[in-house]
């Protein structure tokens, strides 16, 4: 994969508006470079004089097109680090310079970032995407910019370390150990009993999560976990060695929720609590809803736990997405991330609370959005229902137009069409679409979501 710095692709008049053209080219782009093909690396050329810009400048690492669009809408100049095959002409109106490379390789990213920073300084690096969080922290640390510490981000990304850290502080105690073999699982079970959960030490999205209920499951799960190695592209994994070892945890009973927070200089504000519906031994999430139906007493207890947790791990600014199990022994932390929750949780928060957490993550550090002082009151309710048809080859899709026209539909996305294959449901990326529904209450929104999802018929046939 080549390392490219591309211009925005906007008309020449963009220079007059204060957006400087790209001045560093490491890998002169060919006409198709923005869509992924490799280009030939050439030496970096330094500009003779930086072009001043009146607007603050932000480095956005990874993420989706909407993230750079929102940064531009906030009035920011944008440098975007992205994989070449995930950058195209749609980004050009919103991006001043694009660094096209594997941004998880910090040894390749940092020299390019330093060169751009010297010519056109930016004030911070931000990522709203799991795989870019550590790179953003390392860039900020290397350049002396504001942002979450590398230590905090590494702690959140390493579930084994996080468990040990919490245990040492007496916060949310959960029995756990890191293992590499079926023997390690048996030793853990001997000490703590069944059931147990095995999952990657890093990663997210329910990838490689297995529940073990009896001795017969142990060898099967250990083999299935090892078989994941090599099945995913390296750019889709937090670590190249994600399947060399795994975290073993006691099973936490009870429903799962997530707590969506924004932090402002160490002051944590709960934006929303999301109720979740999970299925299967891998706990794949098939539905979310806001506001939560938890009792006020439970919400107070959960809020205190999450606030104590965020203080303990050192999260100071920006979004947080903390998953919690409401066990029979009280709430327990499952894991946490210094980003906005996935699975369209931000869209639910916009509908239910009027808060776009992504805009806060991008603009709060520049004073472009006012800090929240208290948790927002709900303005309505929203629910998402994911589409999980039978595995096989898609033969027919019907009902889409009727669902889009339904007044309760706030969003519909479909990833498959006739001829595409639907995989078995093992992790979040196996879901093939979703419907977002609105309602006066969460109960009503959930009912609308289920009704609308059921109205979309994705017929499949077995694949030989």
């Amino acid at each position: 994969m080549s390392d490219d710095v591309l211009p925005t692709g906007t008309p020449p008049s963009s220079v007059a508006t204060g957006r400087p053209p790209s001045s560093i080219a490491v890998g002169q782009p060919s006409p198709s470079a923005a869509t992924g093909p490799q280009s030939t690396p050439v030496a970096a050329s330094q500009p003779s004089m930086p072009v001043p810009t009146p607007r603050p400048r932000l480095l956005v690492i990874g993420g989706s097109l909407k993230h750079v669009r929102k940064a531009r809408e906030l009035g920011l100049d944008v440098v975007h680090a992205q994989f070449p095959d995930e950058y195209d002409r749609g980004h050009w109106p919103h991006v001043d310079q694009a660094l096209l490379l594997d941004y998880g390789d910090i040894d390749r990213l940092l020299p390019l970032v330093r060169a751009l920073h010297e010519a056109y300084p930016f004030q911070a690096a931000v990522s709203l995407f799991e795989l870019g969080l550590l790179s953003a922290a390392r860039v900020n640390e290397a350049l002396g910019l504001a942002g979450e510490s590398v230590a905090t981000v590494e702690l959140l990304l390493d579930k084994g370390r996080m468990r040990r850290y919490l245990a040492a502080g007496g916060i949310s105690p959960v029995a756990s150990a890191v293992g590499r073999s079926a023997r390690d699982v048996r030793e853990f079970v001997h000490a703590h009993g069944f059931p147990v959960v095995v999952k990657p030490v890093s990663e997210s999205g329910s990838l490689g999560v297995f529940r073990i209920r009896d001795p017969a499951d142990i060898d099967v799960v250990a083999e299935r976990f090892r078989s994941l190695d090599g099945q995913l592209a390296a750019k889709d994994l937090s670590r190249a060695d994600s399947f060399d070892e795994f975290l073993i945890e006691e099973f936490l009973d009870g429903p799962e929720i997530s707590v969506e927070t924004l932090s402002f200089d160490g002051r944590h504000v709960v934006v929303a609590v999301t109720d979740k519906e999970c299925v299967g031994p891998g706990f794949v999430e098939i539905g979310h809803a806001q506001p939560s139906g938890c009792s006020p007493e439970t919400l107070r207890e959960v809020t205190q736990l999450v606030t104590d947790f965020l203080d303990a791990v050192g999260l100071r600014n920006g979004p947080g997405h903390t998953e919690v199990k409401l066990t029979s022994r009280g709430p327990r932390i499952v894991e946490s991330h210094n980003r906005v929750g996935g699975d369209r949780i931000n869209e639910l928060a916009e509908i239910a609370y009027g808060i776009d957490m992504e805009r806060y993550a991008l603009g709060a550090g520049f004073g472009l959005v006012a800090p929240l002082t208290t948790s927002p009151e709900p303005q309505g309710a929203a629910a998402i229902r994911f589409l999980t048809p039978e595995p096989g080859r898609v033969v027919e899709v019907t009902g889409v137009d009727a669902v889009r026209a339904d007044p309760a539909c706030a969003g519909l996305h479909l990833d498959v069409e006739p001829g595409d294959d639907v995989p078995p449901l093992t992790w979040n990326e196996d879901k093939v679409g979703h419907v977002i529904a609105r309602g006066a209450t969460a109960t009503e929104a959930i009912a609308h979501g289920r009704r609308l999802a059921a109205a979309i018929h994705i017929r499949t046939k077995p694949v030989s």
Side-chain angles (χ1 to χ4, degrees):
M1 191 176 294
S2 61
D3 300 347
D4 299 316
V5 180
L6 298 184
T8 118
T10 51
S13 61
S14 65
V15 176
T17 68
R19 295 202 302 272
S22 176
S23 301
I24 304 174
V26 181
Q28 189 64 31
S30 65
S32 60
T35 61
Q38 295 193 7
S39 54
T40 304
V42 298
S45 59
Q46 298 291 346
S48 57
M49 181 67 69
V51 179
T53 172
R55 304 192 296 189
R57 176 169 288 234
L58 178 69
L59 170 62
V60 179
I61 299 180
S64 66
L65 172 60
K66 68 176 179 177
H67 297 152
V68 294
R69 187 191 73 240
K70 288 182 179 183
R72 174 67 87 209
E73 290 171 351
L74 284 165
L76 295 166
D77 276 358
V78 178
V79 178
H80 189 34
Q82 185 58 279
F83 291 109
D85 59 353
E86 296 184 13
Y87 183 90
D88 58 30
R89 291 174 182 267
H91 292 76
W92 290 3
H94 316 294
V95 176
D96 295 276
Q97 276 85 28
L99 287 72
L100 304 187
L101 77 168
D102 176 358
Y103 54 78
D105 186 344
I106 195 66
D107 292 332
R108 297 172 69 190
L109 178 65
L110 259 183
L112 295 177
V113 168
R114 286 186 188 278
L116 274 177
H117 183 61
E118 290 173 5
Y120 308 115
F122 43 83
Q123 285 69 52
V126 169
S127 184
L128 302 182
F129 185 54
E130 182 81 4
L131 304 184
L133 298 175
L134 186 55
S135 292
R138 286 177 170 163
V139 166
N140 285 328
E141 181 181 81
L143 301 182
L145 305 176
E148 296 311 304
S149 71
V150 171
T152 292
V153 177
E154 286 182 332
L155 184 61
L156 293 174
L157 289 174
D158 189 325
K159 298 177 179 65
R161 280 186 56 200
M162 190 193 76
R163 281 286 181 228
R164 294 191 295 271
Y165 185 81
L166 294 181
I171 299 173
S172 186
V174 174
S176 66
V178 174
R180 289 177 171 267
S181 67
R183 178 180 178 179
D184 295 327
V185 178
R186 290 189 181 93
E187 291 178 353
F188 186 86
V189 168
H190 180 73
H192 301 285
F194 288 109
V196 300
V197 172
V198 166
K199 60 184 178 181
V201 173
S202 56
E203 306 311 330
S204 60
S206 298
L207 174 62
V209 180
F210 302 97
R211 178 166 45 192
I212 298 176
R213 292 188 174 93
D214 55 56
D217 290 340
I218 294 177
D219 287 320
V220 173
V221 166
E223 181 58 34
R224 287 180 64 190
F225 189 89
R226 284 191 294 268
S227 72
L228 293 171
D229 192 16
Q231 289 191 18
L232 284 85
K235 73 172 188 175
D236 294 327
L237 298 172
S238 297
R239 292 173 19 177
D241 61 348
S242 283
F243 304 109
D244 289 354
E245 59 185 12
F246 45 76
L247 182 65
I248 317 165
E249 295 182 331
E250 63 172 300
F251 173 72
L252 299 175
D253 63 338
E256 182 176 321
I257 61 174
S258 65
V259 182
E260 325 307 335
T261 56
L262 288 168
S263 298
F264 305 92
D265 197 23
R267 182 177 55 82
H268 313 298
V269 177
V270 173
V271 174
V273 175
T274 307
D275 290 343
K276 296 174 176 284
E277 182 178 349
C278 303
V279 298
F283 310 99
V284 179
E285 298 165 357
I286 62 168
H288 304 319
Q290 295 177 7
S292 172
C294 292
S295 68
E297 180 182 0
T298 297
L299 291 176
R300 284 193 295 269
E301 190 176 5
V302 167
T303 296
Q304 187 62 59
L305 172 64
V306 171
T307 299
D308 291 344
F309 166 79
L310 296 176
D311 284 341
V313 300
L315 188 68
R316 302 275 310 161
N317 290 284
H321 169 68
T322 305
E323 296 171 359
V324 176
K325 272 291 194 80
L326 303 178
T327 80
S328 55
R329 296 176 293 149
R332 294 290 186 271
I333 301 289
V334 177
E335 57 190 60
S336 185
H337 312 267
N338 65 307
R339 57 166 171 78
V340 178
D343 277 349
R344 311 291 175 142
I345 282 177
N346 190 60
E347 293 178 35
L348 301 187
E350 287 188 84
I351 296 170
Y353 293 94
I355 300 294
D356 184 346
M357 296 179 66
E358 292 175 344
R359 287 175 62 87
Y360 276 87
L362 295 164
F366 298 94
L368 299 175
V369 287
L372 295 177
T373 55
T374 60
S375 296
E377 293 294 328
Q379 304 173 357
I384 187 168
R385 193 77 184 177
F386 293 97
L387 305 178
T388 58
E390 288 295 317
R393 185 152 296 152
V394 178
V395 175
E396 183 183 36
V397 179
T398 60
V400 172
D401 291 339
V403 167
R404 281 204 173 102
D406 193 293
C409 180
L412 168 61
H413 179 78
L414 195 61
D415 288 322
V416 294
E417 59 185 19
D420 291 336
D421 289 341
V422 175
L425 186 64
T426 60
W427 72 304
N428 283 355
E429 294 302 311
D430 293 327
K431 297 177 289 195
V432 302
H434 66 261
V435 175
I436 298 176
R438 60 172 66 90
T441 65
T443 299
E444 183 178 88
I446 291 169
H448 283 316
R450 288 177 173 165
R451 174 179 60 81
L452 295 173
I456 297 175
H457 301 283
I458 303 174
R459 186 163 63 89
T460 62
K461 67 178 181 179
V463 178
S464 57

